[in-house]
Amino acid sequence: MEAKLITPNSQYFPGQLNVTFSEELVNFDIDKWAAVDYEITNYNIYNSSVSSSVLSEENYNALAANKTDYFLIEDNGVVNQLNYEVILETN
């Protein structure tokens, strides 16, 4: 899994958190997407990735400083915690 926090001065997806999974996930739901001390509730799910909406400046800065958090994902009735570490990226 790779988590990229796109810097605010980027040309594409500024201020968003994009997480790409190592394999395609099917039949899964995100029970919780944790990012520091808040929950990301506005996002788009794709075949092998998830993208948040634009984070507030406060939430972006907290995640950029902390750089780790987790998902709770339900896959075929089983809930798993997937931890991730954030990489800052400018595009």
Side-chain angles (χ1 to χ4, degrees), residues 6-64:
I6 310 302
T7 59
N9 59 343
S10 291
Q11 184 175 359
Y12 303 104
F13 312 110
Q16 289 183 290
L17 177 58
N18 299 315
V19 179
T20 303
F21 301 99
S22 57
E23 59 187 54
E24 186 173 317
L25 297 176
V26 293
N27 296 327
F28 79 99
D29 292 311
I30 296 175
D31 285 351
K32 181 177 183 180
W33 186 355
V36 189
D37 58 355
Y38 64 96
E39 182 176 350
I40 295 174
T41 57
N42 193 4
Y43 51 83
N44 291 312
I45 299 175
Y46 305 99
N47 286 341
S48 59
S49 66
V50 180
S51 294
S52 74
S53 61
V54 176
L55 302 175
S56 70
E57 183 178 350
E58 178 183 350
N59 290 344
Y60 176 91
N61 290 337
L63 188 54

